[in-house]
Every structure is written in C-alpha cells, then in structure tokens.
Amino acid sequence: MARLADPLPDLACTASDVGQQIVRWLAHLRAERRLSPKTLEAYARDVRQCLMFLGQHWGELVTLKRFAALEPGDIRAFMAARRAEDIGGRSLMRSLAGLRSFARFLEREGLGKIGALGAIRAPKVGKSLPKPIHMSAAKRFADASERAGEDRDPWIWARDAAVMALLYGSGLRISEALGLKRRDVPQPGAGDVLVVTGKGNKTRMVPVLQNVLALVHEYMAMCPHLLPPEGPIFVGARGGPLRARIIQLVMARMRGALGLPDSATPHALRHSFATHLLSRGGDLRAIQELLGHASLSTTQIYTGIDSERLLEVYRTAHPRA
C-alpha cells in the first residue's frame, strides 16, 4: 500500500508530542486497519483542521494534556465553524469519526481519555440515492464508435470503451478497473471471472461477460505499448498507468453528446450495474458480494431506486391485492 506523504505539514499550533502521536496513529491505521491512502489522508486533514481550530479557539498551544481535556462545547464550536464554511454533513461525520479514532488510539496508549467526543451526536446526513443511467445509454458508453468523430487514435477509443464496459458490466469501481493487471484478465472463452482488488486491499471474484472480455482484448490488440503480464492492462497515451481523471473527462464529453446530466459519471455506471440487476430480480445479498460492500446496509441504498418495480410485484403477486 502506498505511504501517506506529508500527513501533517507544519502544525505550529500543536506541541511536538501531539504530532508524534498522530504519526503513530496513522501508521497504526495503515498497518492494522489497512485503511486506504485516501482515507488516511482525509483523517489526517480532518484532525489537522481541528487542531488548528482549537489552537486559535483556546489561544494556546495544543498539547496532549490539553487535548485530553476537550469539552463538548469545543467540538461543537469546531463543527459550527466547519458548517460556516459550507462543509456538508458527510464531511462533518467523517471529521468526527477521525477525531474519535485518534481519541481511541490515545486512550489505548494510556495518554488520556477524551470523553467529550462521545457526548457529541453525529451530524444528520440526508439520504442521497444514486442516479442510475438508463440501460440503453449505459451501453453506449462502452461503444467505441460513439466517438468516431474525435481526433484521437482508435486504440484510445477502444481502451476507454473497455474500461467503461467493466464499470457497467461487472460493477467495478474505477480504481478497481484501472488496477487490473494483464494477467488478471482471461482470454475470451477461457474464463468468466476477474479477481479484483478493492477497498482495504481486499480481493473478490466478480463475473465478467464474454463481450466485455472481447472489448478488453480488442483494445489490447490495438494498443501500441508493451503490456507485460505483471503491469497494468490499461495505459495512458504515453504508456504509463491510466489515470481515473482521463475516464472522468471522457464520460463528461460523452454525456454532453448523449444529452445526459452531470450525474452520469464513472461511478454512476457502477450504480447502474447494481440497479439494473435489482430491477431484473437480482438478489440483494448477491449484489452486495459483487460490489464488494462490507455491509448490506450500504447495498440497500439501491432498493430505494427500484421501489416502483417492488410495488408492482406486490400489487400483482400479493393474494389480497
């Protein structure tokens, strides 16, 4: 897993003992909890922002002893300051989670019990249902001919179509698709499963359609760069690993041409995969496994999208309807 670069640059508002414990805490999360680099960076940023606020709020250096004496009013003041900066409920909830994680670490290390964090309720977060892309439109993203008028090499069209076919056809996260090695992808007709590395460096097996494999191998045959078995299967124009931003920009251009809203993103293709499976009778537990969700509650967000179909099944199948 990648190392976290410069997690806490120049915390002039804190004593050195606080900075040392934060570095140890992040190392613990990386090694023991196996959190992703992005999550570690977010936690480090949130704690840094809180410490900077507390230093100004108290008008003194933040030491471990002073931090352990936190009061609920201090945390509420920090949250209120963040809300004044138009920070949403989900970001505030993550900030609170990071602070609580750091507090638990300090307690385990015998460096003080911070009860104030337990007295603060998590901010309310409005439920936002994902917006799936219509089935016909989702398929068009995986059609290289849709971009025939663009001034790009045909192999790049084929590459982008193959990536988006994996997002919609197998429900992969964009990071999972771009993390595939050439050895991970079977030949068409020689296999129908991918081994994917997801969040927390966890692996799972997902089915892959033969027509999706055909698109991937069509791109590989056209790609002018060497694709060694241990290297990434998707590469950029110069042969380096393909960046997620490239696919995001491609989808932004295509959704304009297809008349789709801004919500039609690479992640929306993954949402669409789950939604369309559910609409055709897919089992929620099976969809959970395919998506790599740790909790069924995460997957259940998709049930809200398909309530119309569920009501129709109820009306036609219930014996008293």
Side-chain angles (χ1 to χ4, degrees):
M1 183 178 288
R3 290 181 60 83
L4 188 67
D6 299 327
L8 294 164
D10 188 24
L11 267 180
C13 58
T14 67
S16 60
D17 58 352
V18 177
Q20 291 169 0
Q21 293 307 319
I22 291 177
V23 171
R24 292 185 62 232
W25 165 60
L26 293 173
H28 164 76
L29 294 179
R30 184 188 303 114
E32 302 297 327
R33 297 282 305 282
R34 301 176 68 184
L35 297 186
S36 71
K38 286 186 177 181
T39 301
L40 291 172
E41 288 173 10
Y43 273 15
R45 183 171 59 250
D46 292 337
V47 170
R48 180 175 68 244
Q49 289 168 343
C50 182
L51 292 171
M52 291 173 64
F53 171 83
L54 291 174
Q56 296 172 356
H57 182 62
W58 291 334
E60 62 182 85
L61 204 65
V62 180
T63 64
L64 282 178
K65 183 177 180 180
R66 184 68 181 89
F67 188 70
L70 263 176
E71 296 181 358
D74 298 322
I75 303 300
R76 293 192 186 98
F78 167 65
M79 303 290 271
R82 297 292 286 152
R83 279 204 182 278
E85 297 172 359
D86 290 329
I87 302 301
R90 290 188 184 278
S91 295
L92 288 174
M93 189 163 59
R94 188 199 60 219
S95 293
L96 193 56
L99 287 167
R100 284 171 173 165
S101 174
F102 181 49
R104 286 194 298 270
F105 174 80
L106 293 179
E107 185 175 351
R108 283 196 300 269
E109 296 295 305
L111 297 172
K113 185 173 182 178
I114 307 172
L117 287 164
I120 301 296
R121 290 184 179 180
K124 292 183 178 180
V125 178
K127 292 183 179 180
S128 57
L129 294 176
K131 298 176 181 177
I133 302 169
H134 191 275
M135 199 174 297
S136 59
K139 291 178 180 178
R140 291 178 68 180
F141 279 107
D143 185 351
S145 66
E146 292 284 346
R147 301 171 60 197
E150 292 185 20
D151 185 21
R152 299 301 303 270
D153 290 334
W155 77 268
I156 290 181
W157 301 345
R159 177 201 67 192
D160 299 343
V163 172
M164 288 185 279
L166 283 167
L167 303 184
Y168 179 56
S170 293
L172 302 189
R173 299 177 177 93
I174 190 169
S175 59
E176 294 170 345
L178 300 187
L180 288 171
K181 310 294 184 188
R182 179 172 179 174
R183 57 174 166 75
D184 296 331
V185 182
Q187 292 283 341
D192 56 6
V193 171
L194 298 173
V195 178
V196 176
T197 302
K199 287 186 175 181
N201 211 30
K202 296 178 182 177
T203 59
R204 71 181 190 280
M205 297 175 66
V206 297
V208 58
L209 299 169
Q210 292 301 306
N211 61 338
V212 173
L213 286 178
L215 287 173
V216 175
H217 283 275
E218 180 181 340
Y219 144 70
M220 289 168 58
M222 298 171 67
C223 181
H225 301 291
L226 182 66
L227 300 174
E230 298 300 317
I233 194 167
F234 295 113
V235 297
R238 298 182 180 180
L242 180 61
R243 294 182 293 114
R245 183 60 179 158
I246 299 299
I247 301 301
Q248 291 167 349
L249 290 173
V250 169
M251 281 202 69
R253 288 195 295 269
M254 289 188 70
R255 70 181 176 235
L258 296 174
L260 296 173
D262 291 347
S263 58
T265 63
H267 203 64
L269 287 175
R270 174 172 153 89
H271 283 320
S272 303
F273 162 82
T275 304
H276 297 162
L277 278 182
L278 184 65
S279 69
R280 296 198 167 195
D283 177 72
L284 200 61
R285 283 284 184 188
I287 295 173
Q288 176 194 356
E289 293 295 326
L290 292 173
L291 293 174
H293 286 160
S295 170
L296 185 62
S297 62
T298 307
T299 314
Q300 282 176 326
I301 191 171
Y302 297 102
T303 62
I305 300 171
D306 208 45
S307 58
E308 185 176 338
R309 182 188 71 85
L310 295 174
L311 283 171
E312 182 61 27
V313 170
Y314 170 79
R315 293 191 190 100
T316 57
H318 194 282
R320 295 183 61 183

